[in-house]
Amino acid sequence: MVTHGRWTVPSWQAVAVVAGKNVAGPENRGTLAQSGEGFERFLWGGLRLELHKDAAEDYWFNLTGGRPALYVICHESPDGAVQPHVVTANPTEASGSIEADARVFAVPIPPEVYHHIEQFVVKYFVPRQKGKRKRKDWMEDQERG
């Protein structure tokens, strides 16, 4: 909670993504721990990272950037609570979700997930051949017309 004057507003933060089939299922959602400082920690399960061939270039940019991250996209309820909805490795999808007013949190990629995404990129990402564009001769068009 963030308090400013008479107002108290909930403040949310994603700390990490944990990989594994048996970490937590959908039935394990809820309070994990509550500290004496008023912080509650939640563990959400049942979310899957899905990779798509047409986004392989975005994954490549994510992995080769300064801070590779997974993005936890959350929906916010009217009372201010957030609920994780999707986990993605696509920064373009994350920024699009921000523009659609979703809450998005970037977290470090666990090593085993990083390796999985890296293998996916190697398999499906084909860099486009960059070629020079030929400049159009505007004078030639005027002489014809």
Side-chain angles (χ1 to χ4, degrees):
M1 294 285 203
V2 176
T3 305
H4 184 69
R6 297 183 308 184
W7 299 98
T8 301
V9 180
S11 175
W12 297 92
Q13 173 182 356
V15 180
V17 169
V18 182
K21 292 180 181 176
N22 299 321
V23 174
E27 67 283 351
N28 292 341
R29 297 177 182 175
T31 305
L32 180 63
Q34 188 166 2
S35 73
E37 298 172 8
F39 294 104
E40 290 181 88
R41 295 178 187 229
F42 297 89
L43 177 64
W44 292 87
L47 299 175
R48 293 179 47 114
L49 175 65
E50 293 183 17
L51 301 176
H52 304 279
K53 294 177 190 178
D54 61 345
E57 183 174 21
D58 292 318
Y59 306 143
W60 178 79
F61 279 118
N62 184 6
L63 295 180
T64 59
R67 287 188 175 165
L70 290 179
Y71 303 94
V72 181
I73 301 171
C74 302
H75 293 294
E76 192 168 350
S77 66
D79 67 350
V82 296
Q83 179 174 353
H85 178 67
V86 174
V87 175
T88 183
N90 187 340
T92 304
E93 181 181 357
S95 65
S97 296
I98 291 170
E99 290 176 10
D101 291 331
R103 299 284 304 264
V104 178
F105 302 98
V107 296
I109 303 175
E112 62 274 19
V113 175
Y114 186 99
H115 182 67
H116 177 71
I117 298 169
E118 185 178 48
Q119 287 178 331
F120 185 89
V121 168
V122 167
K123 184 174 181 178
Y124 293 110
F125 176 53
V126 179
R128 287 181 261 160
Q129 190 74 332
K130 292 185 180 183
K132 290 188 175 185
R133 293 187 321 205
K134 187 174 180 181
R135 296 184 100 184
K136 185 173 182 174
D137 185 359
W138 297 100
M139 293 301 291
E140 186 178 302
D141 285 347
Q142 288 179 356
E143 291 171 4
R144 286 187 205 164

